[in-house]
Amino acid sequence: MLPSRRPETGREPWPEQPSSGPPAPRAGGDDGGPERGGTRRVRRDGEPGRRPAGDPDDGHDQDVEETPPVEVRRSLALAVAGFAVLLGLGLVLAAQTSGPGHRLPFTAVILGVQALSVLAWTMASRPPALMTVAGVGVATAIVADTVAVRSDPARLMPLVQVLLVGLAAAVVGQFVRRVDRAQVIESLRGTMLIVAGSVAFPTMIVLTRIPMGTQVIMVCLVAAGVALAVARITDAFAAWPRLAPQVPRGAAGVVGGAMIGTMVSAVLGSYLVTPFTPTRAAIMGLVAAVVAVLADLAVGYAEAGRVMAGEPSPRWGIGHMQGPLTGFALAAPAAYVLCKLVL
């Protein structure tokens, strides 16, 4: 090998001769600003949370979380509370007129409430073959009332059989038209509520034929009516804390209504004859009140779900009568079960 030698005198070294160490990282471009090459852009886009200030995606999650809650309409809540009081008072007073060989007035009242329930739920859920389902609901109501009056002995099983037959008839009626078949499964819940509401109210007719059944109706329905009314009145003035932004109901009304309904039933139990006691009446009232207010609350959630899905809302009166009607419809079979278990 030839020995290394120094460059000749008078000749300048190469201007871009590489140094012996690794190249220094480039801090900026020719003008001194930050480099905007492809590598820098890829690394910047890949880092979370470093989006440009004008990015349209900024604040998207915050907009979703800050959706304003549905406004609580005070007049509407008070109107629903008044309807619950009138409905409960009418059912309790009509039950007191029922007796052996004299059940027609109470049956007529129950039939009217059943027709109102079928109308409310049909207009709210709008199942396929709407007129067919409504007709089956009314027919089921008439058959259930007849069975409740004439069955011997008075028991609940014949009404369960009527419920199953009515539900099967409603579903078969929806399958007749081809255009309705694809929506039958989706609307099965609404169809079941329509038919079940028709069969639940005649439970009170069966109760009037059982010893102490009329007193059980009074205790349970008074507790349910008071609970529904107190819950709605509380929501009118203090719907807090909100259970959901889309539902204009508060937890204070639900809990307070159940508590006051239980207290009223215990007071009633102290005035009734044996085997009623304040403790037994309080247990019955607690169950009936909780069932009623939770059913009313569930109707509110169902209505909010339909609105969010873009379905048309029913008319004012029909739409807001569902809650009290459903609450009393579920409180009736609960009263029958309590009559068998507690007394």
Side-chain angles (χ1 to χ4, degrees):
M1 296 179 61
L2 295 177
S4 60
R5 57 181 180 179
R6 299 177 61 184
E8 299 179 0
T9 305
R11 182 178 296 180
E12 296 179 359
W14 295 99
E16 297 181 4
Q17 183 176 1
S19 60
S20 58
R26 188 173 179 179
D30 296 338
D31 55 353
E35 182 183 5
R36 303 192 180 274
T39 305
R40 177 66 174 174
R41 182 175 301 172
V42 171
R43 184 173 63 253
R44 180 175 147 190
D45 292 342
E47 293 177 358
R50 295 187 58 184
R51 297 182 180 271
D55 195 336
D57 292 337
D58 283 348
H60 177 70
D61 297 337
Q62 289 80 355
D63 294 341
V64 174
E65 296 177 357
E66 296 177 1
T67 302
V70 176
E71 181 183 1
V72 179
R73 292 185 287 176
R74 180 175 299 178
S75 59
L76 176 60
L78 294 177
V80 175
F83 174 72
V85 171
L86 291 177
L87 181 59
L89 186 62
L91 290 173
V92 170
L93 292 180
Q96 303 302 316
T97 65
S98 181
H102 191 68
R103 308 190 190 278
L104 184 59
F106 187 42
T107 305
V109 172
I110 292 295
L111 184 59
V113 176
Q114 287 171 305
L116 192 61
S117 176
V118 170
L119 178 62
W121 272 107
T122 303
M123 297 304 296
S125 60
R126 294 187 176 274
L130 186 146
M131 296 305 298
T132 301
V133 175
V136 171
V138 173
T140 304
I142 296 174
V143 174
D145 293 344
T146 304
V147 170
V149 172
R150 295 184 175 274
S151 61
D152 191 20
R155 53 197 181 97
L156 199 61
M157 186 54 63
L159 293 181
V160 176
Q161 296 173 356
V162 173
L163 170 62
L164 297 178
V165 173
L167 183 60
V171 174
V172 170
Q174 292 175 331
F175 271 107
V176 172
R177 297 175 54 188
R178 178 182 300 180
V179 69
D180 298 327
R181 295 174 187 171
Q183 304 176 0
V184 171
I185 302 300
E186 300 176 1
S187 64
L188 185 60
R189 181 180 61 180
T191 304
M192 184 179 298
L193 288 172
I194 293 170
V195 180
S198 302
V199 181
F201 285 105
T203 308
M204 290 184 283
I205 300 177
V206 178
L207 268 174
T208 58
R209 300 176 58 193
I210 298 175
M212 307 305 298
T214 303
Q215 287 76 11
V216 172
I217 292 175
M218 181 174 64
V219 170
C220 292
L221 293 194
V222 166
V226 170
L228 290 171
V230 170
R232 291 287 186 165
I233 293 173
T234 304
D235 290 337
F237 296 96
W240 182 88
R242 291 291 291 270
L243 297 174
Q246 298 82 10
V247 182
R249 302 296 304 274
V254 175
V255 177
M259 294 175 62
I260 296 179
T262 304
M263 182 182 66
V264 171
S265 63
V267 173
L268 282 177
S270 63
Y271 290 97
L272 296 177
V273 298
T274 307
F276 277 95
T277 61
T279 302
R280 290 180 176 178
I283 294 174
M284 293 181 177
L286 174 62
V287 174
V290 170
V291 168
V293 294
L294 290 183
D296 186 18
L297 183 62
V299 170
Y301 275 92
E303 179 65 21
R306 286 193 294 266
V307 172
M308 295 176 64
E311 298 181 8
S313 299
R315 294 182 179 180
W316 184 91
I318 296 297
H320 298 288
M321 285 191 295
Q322 300 174 75
L325 286 170
T326 307
F328 283 110
L330 293 183
Y336 180 89
V337 174
L338 290 170
C339 181
K340 296 293 185 180
L341 297 179
V342 177
L343 296 182

